[in-house]
Amino acid sequence: MGKPKIRFEGYSEDWEQRKLGDNIVEYTEKTTENNQYPVLTSSRKGIFFQTDYYDGNQIASADNTGYNIVPYGFFTYRHMSDDEIFHFNINDIAENGIVSTLYPVFTTDENLDSRYLQYQLNYGREFARYAILQKQGGSRTYMYLNKLRNLYLTVPTAIEEQKKISEYFTNLDHLITLHQRKYDETKTLKKYMLQKMFPQNGEKVPEIRFDGFTEDWEQRKLGDITTKIGSGKTPKGGAAAYKDDGIALIRSQNVNGDRVDLSDVVFIDEQTDEDMKNSRVLKGDVLLNITGASIGRSAVFTRELRANVNQHVCIIRTKGSDASPEFIQLNIISSNGQNQIDSFQAGGGREGLNFHQIGKMEFLYPGIEEQQKIGQYFANLDHLITLHQRKCNELKEIKKYMLQNMFV
C-alpha cells in the first residue's frame, strides 16, 4: 500500500490501508451534575483547562450537566471548522475533563497507537484531503465521528513502528516547547531588568545596579551627546535600483527584535551609495525606525559591513565618550523611551518621528563604564534570546520536513 520516504531501521514492510472506524472506540459518558469535572478547551494550540485558556474565566454554559466526559488519554476535537482544518487533542492534563457535546470523544484499540494517530490526523495528507471532501456548501465543514470512522489511513502494520514514530515527534515537540519557554522567559527577564536597571519615576539611580557604582545618573538630551541624527532617502528609481549584490540598504523591516536582521536585505550599487553618502552606516550607529507600523524599533549596527539606510531609518551616532550606542538603544526601547516616542505623535497614532524630536529625547546616563557594563549584560540576554529563537525555528523546520517524509 506504500512506504514513507524516511523510516526507522528494521522496518521494511509496506504500510497497510485501514478504515479508521475499525480501530477507534467512541466514548459517550456524560456528566450527571454541574462542574462534575474541570471544563477543557480543545484548541488548535492544544488542550487546556478552560480557566487557563481564557485568563481565569470559564465560558462554558452556566450548567454543564450533560457535557461529554474526556478521560485521561482520550481524544477530543471540535467537529466543525470554518476553514476545513481540524485539530485532534489528547487529554493529558486531567484524570477526567469535560467538553461540550460539539466535541466528540474517542480512543484507539490495541492495534493503533494514540499518539501516532494524533500526529497523522493533525499533519498527514490523507486526513487533510478527506476533510476538504466533507465540505458540502455553506461556510463550515463538519466532521462528525461517524464521518471520521469512514476515513481510510495508510499506517504501519506493526504497532512498534507506530510507537517509534510517535515517540520521535513527541520528543521533537518537547524540545520545541523547551526552547520556546526559554525564549519567553528570557524576553520577560529582559523586560523586567529594563525596568529595574534604569531609574524610574523621577529617581536618579536604578533599583538594581552593578557593584562599585554609586553616583547619581545625569539627564541629557540625545542631541547633546550625538554627532549625527539623520536618515537616508529612497534610491533614485526606487525598487528598480535594488541589486542582487553590492552595498546593503537597510530598511525598516531590517531593524527588528533589537537587532539588525539582514536575512532579506536589498543591495544598491556604488553609484547609488555615492548619491546617498550622507546616510552611510558606521559600526556602532544606533538605527531607529521613524515611520510606519514599526516606528520606535531600534538596534545597534555591530557589523564590519558597508551599508546605507533609506528614509524610514534614522541613524543616531554618538560622540563615544559621553554615551555608548548600546546604552542609548536600551533607553530607546525602555518604557521611558517608547513613551517619549508616543508623546511626539499627533493624537498618539505613531505616524512618524522627525530629527528634532529625536534630538529632544531625554534620558538619564551614568558614567561610560557603567553604561558599558549594562550594555554587555543586555547583549548577553539578547544572545540567549536569539539562540533559543533560532533553535526553536530549526526544530520546527525539522518537524515540518519529517512530517512530510515519515508518513505515506
Side-chain angles (χ1 to χ4, degrees):
M1 302 277 18
K3 301 176 183 179
K5 293 179 181 178
I6 297 176
R7 210 163 179 190
F8 286 102
E9 192 175 350
Y11 298 98
S12 57
E13 292 182 353
D14 280 358
W15 288 18
E16 63 182 9
Q17 198 169 63
R18 298 183 189 174
K19 185 178 180 181
L20 188 55
D22 294 338
N23 290 128
I24 64 173
V25 181
E26 184 178 10
Y27 188 82
T28 59
E29 188 175 350
K30 300 182 185 301
T31 58
T32 56
E33 58 186 78
N34 192 37
N35 293 329
Q36 186 172 344
Y37 300 113
V39 182
L40 305 180
T41 291
S42 179
S43 76
R44 294 185 184 184
K45 296 179 181 179
I47 195 159
F48 304 90
F49 293 112
Q50 194 173 89
T51 50
D52 293 340
Y53 192 77
Y54 292 103
D55 295 324
N57 298 312
Q58 183 170 297
I59 64 166
S61 303
D63 184 359
N64 49 54
T65 305
Y67 266 40
N68 289 341
I69 296 175
V70 190
Y72 186 88
F74 280 54
F75 282 88
T76 189
Y77 68 100
R78 190 170 188 258
H79 78 239
M80 65 182 78
S81 170
D82 294 328
D83 57 6
E84 300 138 36
I85 296 174
F86 295 83
H87 193 86
F88 295 83
N89 287 306
I90 294 176
N91 173 21
D92 55 7
I93 60 175
E95 183 177 351
N96 284 293
I98 61 174
V99 292
S100 121
T101 52
L102 297 176
Y103 295 77
V105 181
F106 67 92
T107 188
T108 58
D109 66 14
E110 67 278 4
N111 297 311
L112 186 59
D113 180 68
S114 290
R115 287 291 177 191
Y116 168 83
L117 177 62
Q118 184 185 27
Y119 282 108
Q120 188 165 12
L121 288 176
N122 286 337
Y123 303 106
R125 290 181 286 268
E126 289 175 313
F127 175 77
R129 288 194 294 263
Y130 185 72
I132 292 171
L133 294 174
Q134 306 312 306
K135 190 165 187 176
Q136 299 172 353
S139 60
R140 285 183 166 175
T141 303
Y142 292 88
M143 185 65 63
Y144 298 107
L145 193 61
N146 61 348
K147 283 188 178 181
L148 187 65
R149 288 179 181 278
N150 291 326
L151 167 67
Y152 280 86
L153 288 177
T154 309
V155 301
T157 306
I159 190 76
E160 293 81 8
E161 187 176 6
Q162 297 174 26
K163 288 181 177 179
K164 277 186 175 289
I165 294 169
S166 66
E167 286 170 5
Y168 174 81
F169 284 110
T170 298
N171 290 336
L172 255 187
D173 280 338
H174 175 73
L175 286 174
I176 291 169
T177 300
L178 181 68
H179 284 286
Q180 184 65 53
R181 186 181 299 125
K182 290 290 186 184
Y183 170 82
D184 293 338
E185 288 173 352
T186 313
K187 289 270 285 187
T188 301
L189 175 61
K190 180 179 179 180
K191 184 178 179 180
Y192 174 81
M193 295 306 282
L194 278 170
Q195 294 174 338
K196 298 296 183 180
M197 294 183 74
F198 288 79
Q200 303 289 316
N201 303 322
E203 297 292 327
K204 294 290 187 181
V205 294
E207 188 176 330
I208 295 177
R209 205 168 184 185
F210 287 105
D211 288 340
F213 299 102
T214 57
E215 292 183 356
D216 285 355
W217 291 23
E218 181 182 354
Q219 187 155 303
R220 310 283 294 278
K221 290 182 180 180
L222 265 184
D224 295 336
I225 58 172
T226 54
T227 60
K228 180 182 181 66
I229 296 176
S231 65
K233 59 185 179 181
T234 301
K236 187 176 181 180
Y242 298 163
K243 306 297 180 184
D244 293 332
D245 202 359
I247 297 157
L249 179 66
I250 297 170
R251 301 169 294 164
S252 57
Q253 56 262 55
N254 301 121
V255 181
N256 194 14
D258 299 334
R259 65 190 183 93
V260 179
D261 179 5
L262 299 180
S263 59
D264 67 341
V265 75
V266 296
F267 299 93
I268 54 176
D269 60 22
E270 294 275 354
Q271 184 57 55
T272 304
D273 178 61
E274 181 61 27
D275 293 341
M276 299 172 60
K277 60 185 177 182
N278 290 332
S279 54
R280 287 171 178 160
V281 180
L282 303 181
K283 184 178 179 180
D285 284 347
V286 179
L287 304 182
L288 170 65
N289 289 353
I290 56 175
T291 63
S294 66
I295 186 172
R297 291 200 314 226
S298 61
V300 179
F301 189 73
T302 60
R303 299 170 183 256
E304 300 283 356
L305 178 74
R306 286 186 66 185
N308 214 307
V309 297
N310 71 2
Q311 74 276 21
H312 302 298
V313 181
C314 177
I315 296 170
I316 301 172
R317 187 168 296 152
T318 70
K319 292 179 180 177
S321 58
D322 292 322
S324 78
E326 291 78 13
F327 192 81
I328 287 177
Q329 193 268 335
L330 288 168
N331 268 309
I332 289 172
I333 65 171
S334 70
S335 58
N336 178 22
Q338 293 299 300
N339 287 339
Q340 289 187 65
I341 289 172
D342 283 340
S343 72
F344 293 138
Q345 306 309 296
R350 296 173 79 89
E351 286 87 358
L353 285 174
N354 62 51
F355 307 143
H356 176 68
Q357 290 168 333
I358 296 168
K360 284 170 55 180
M361 293 181 75
E362 290 187 300
F363 301 108
L364 288 165
Y365 294 85
I368 191 69
E369 185 181 350
E370 188 173 2
Q371 289 182 40
Q372 289 168 345
K373 276 187 172 291
I374 294 169
Q376 187 57 54
Y377 172 81
F378 282 98
N380 292 339
L381 278 185
D382 284 338
H383 175 72
L384 285 174
I385 289 168
T386 302
L387 184 72
H388 289 301
Q389 184 180 38
R390 184 182 299 129
K391 192 64 178 177
C392 195
N393 291 338
E394 288 173 358
L395 290 166
K396 286 178 179 177
E397 286 300 312
I398 291 171
K399 179 180 176 180
K400 181 180 177 182
Y401 177 81
M402 298 304 277
L403 284 167
Q404 291 172 344
N405 290 279
M406 290 185 75
F407 295 98
V408 174

